[in-house]
């Protein structure tokens, strides 16, 4: 009987070891445990390689919403992207979501500084741990921020963010025409 037990135990030990290693590997591929904020909120982590994908995902989503409503498409504008990136980082430094820069600049001032020659139409900002698409959904739920996205005069879009070490993301979307 001892021999049968040993023969069954060895393959079973290998199976358990295999599934343990497999579980460890799968866990490593899943969300990072540090992907939560101090209060347990799940954090959307952005890597440096995600930048273009995130901007184009936002552009495609905004254009889908606009064309569904019979409005013209917008295009990404590098100058508006730069103004959005500057403001996202500045909101983090100030630790508050608001439209004025730490130097007292307005959204119009920031777009002019980048050399944008079109007309500034509006700016949406957000402080969040969530993705750009969740943030877009929240903006679309509010009449004032929805109005910026759905402005019929819009032709250009600037979109950027700054993510802090702890995971908080400061989003900025600018529309120009």
């Amino acid at each position: 009987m001892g021999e049968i037990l040993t023969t069954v135990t060895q393959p079973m030990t290998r199976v358990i070891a295999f599934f343990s290693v497999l579980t460890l590997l799968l866990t490593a591929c899943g969300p990072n445990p540090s992907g939560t904020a101090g209060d347990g909120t799940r954090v959307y982590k952005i890597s440096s390689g995600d930048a273009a994908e995130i901007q184009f995902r936002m552009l495609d989503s905004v254009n889908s919403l606009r064309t569904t409503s019979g409005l013209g498409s917008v295009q990404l504008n590098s100058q508006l992207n730069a103004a959005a990136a500057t403001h996202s980082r500045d909101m983090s430094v100030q630790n508050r979501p608001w439209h004025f820069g730490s130097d007292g600049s307005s959204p119009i001032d920031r777009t002019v500084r980048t050399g944008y020659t079109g007309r500034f139409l509006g700016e949406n900002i957000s402080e969040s741990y969530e993705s750009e698409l969740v943030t877009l959904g929240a903006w679309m739920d509010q009449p004032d921020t929805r109005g910026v996205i759905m402005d019929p005069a819009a032709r250009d879009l600037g979109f950027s963010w700054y993510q802090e070490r702890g995971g908080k993301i400061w989003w900025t979307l600018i529309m120009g025409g």
Side-chain angles (χ1 to χ4, degrees):
M1 182 110 166
E3 191 175 315
I4 293 174
L5 184 58
T6 304
T7 307
V8 172
T9 305
Q10 287 175 349
M12 189 59 113
T13 304
R14 285 188 203 129
V15 169
I16 291 171
F18 171 76
F19 280 112
S20 296
V21 170
L22 183 62
T23 301
L24 241 119
L25 289 173
L26 290 175
T27 302
C29 294
N32 185 344
S34 67
T36 57
D39 63 358
T41 303
R42 184 155 165 70
V43 174
Y44 177 67
K45 289 286 189 179
I46 301 173
S47 71
S48 59
D50 295 334
E53 184 178 321
I54 289 171
Q55 282 187 318
F56 283 109
R57 195 165 40 234
M58 178 61 84
L59 176 67
D60 290 344
S61 298
V62 165
N63 280 333
S64 290
L65 292 165
R66 289 177 59 82
T67 56
T68 299
S69 296
L71 298 170
S73 296
V74 294
Q75 62 185 358
L76 277 176
N77 179 282
S78 61
Q79 293 153 327
L80 294 181
N81 286 343
T86 298
H87 191 56
S88 293
R89 182 176 286 277
D90 192 46
M91 285 189 295
S92 171
V93 169
Q94 296 181 70
N95 196 32
R96 63 179 169 179
W98 77 321
H99 294 283
F100 294 95
S102 56
D103 62 355
S105 63
S106 71
I108 296 170
D109 297 332
R110 290 189 297 276
T111 58
V112 169
R113 284 181 194 163
T114 65
Y116 182 69
T117 57
R119 188 170 58 123
F120 172 83
L121 298 174
E123 174 182 77
N124 290 344
I125 58 174
S126 181
E127 164 191 16
S128 163
Y129 290 97
E130 299 169 325
S131 75
E132 69 282 359
L133 298 181
V134 172
T135 302
L136 176 60
W139 285 335
M140 291 301 289
D141 283 343
Q142 299 300 315
D144 56 339
T145 51
R146 179 185 175 87
V148 170
I149 294 165
M150 303 304 278
D151 189 322
R155 300 291 174 262
D156 298 314
L157 176 134
F159 179 68
S160 196
W161 62 90
Y162 176 75
Q163 186 164 35
E164 296 177 352
R165 237 183 244 165
K168 185 187 293 183
I169 308 168
W170 301 86
W171 301 103
T172 305
L173 177 144
I174 302 171
M175 296 298 260

